[in-house]
Amino acid sequence: MIVMLSEFGRTPKINMTQGRDHHPTVFSCLSRRRRQGRPGHRLVHQDAIAPKENPVNVPNLHASICHALGINPNQEVMTPLQRPMKLVDNGKPIAELFS
């Protein structure tokens, strides 16, 4: 499995200081599985402010990666401070990636 994604998207408009601000609503992600799944795409509105259809949230993306790797996304691990932490925060694998 190959996954490439950004931490944050960038706003489609240039700000006052000639830069672009963080934009967590839309960011790029590319994934590819060798044996199963099919290529897909998601579109954004013309202004790139929001997803046009079928948005995917971060927990579901993380759960999909775990599922593809055979890892239970609901598994809890202990942090170095001995606190339980779920691998994924209530995400579910994206079914269309595996059909």
Side-chain angles (χ1 to χ4, degrees):
M1 173 176 218
I2 298 170
V3 178
M4 182 175 69
L5 58 113
S6 61
E7 177 186 11
F8 271 104
R10 293 291 179 169
T11 56
K13 297 185 180 186
I14 305 296
N15 64 25
M16 302 187 306
T17 61
Q18 302 303 306
R20 297 189 315 156
D21 299 314
H22 284 135
H23 188 54
T25 306
V26 177
F27 63 93
S28 300
C29 176
L30 170 72
S31 66
R32 176 78 177 168
R33 292 195 65 213
R34 187 173 190 144
R35 294 192 177 149
Q36 93 188 80
R38 59 178 186 229
H41 64 278
R42 302 203 183 266
L43 304 172
V44 295
H45 287 283
Q46 184 175 358
D47 59 7
I49 291 292
K52 187 174 184 179
E53 57 188 37
N54 302 322
V56 171
N57 63 29
V58 173
N60 288 353
L61 176 61
H62 289 175
S64 298
I65 293 169
C66 285
H67 178 79
L69 297 173
I71 299 169
N72 178 1
N74 297 314
Q75 178 182 342
E76 284 191 354
V77 295
M78 295 301 279
T79 69
L81 297 175
Q82 298 304 305
R83 295 174 56 186
M85 181 182 80
K86 287 175 73 174
L87 290 180
V88 177
D89 187 20
N90 299 319
K92 295 183 179 181
I94 303 161
E96 68 188 43
L97 294 178
F98 305 98
S99 59

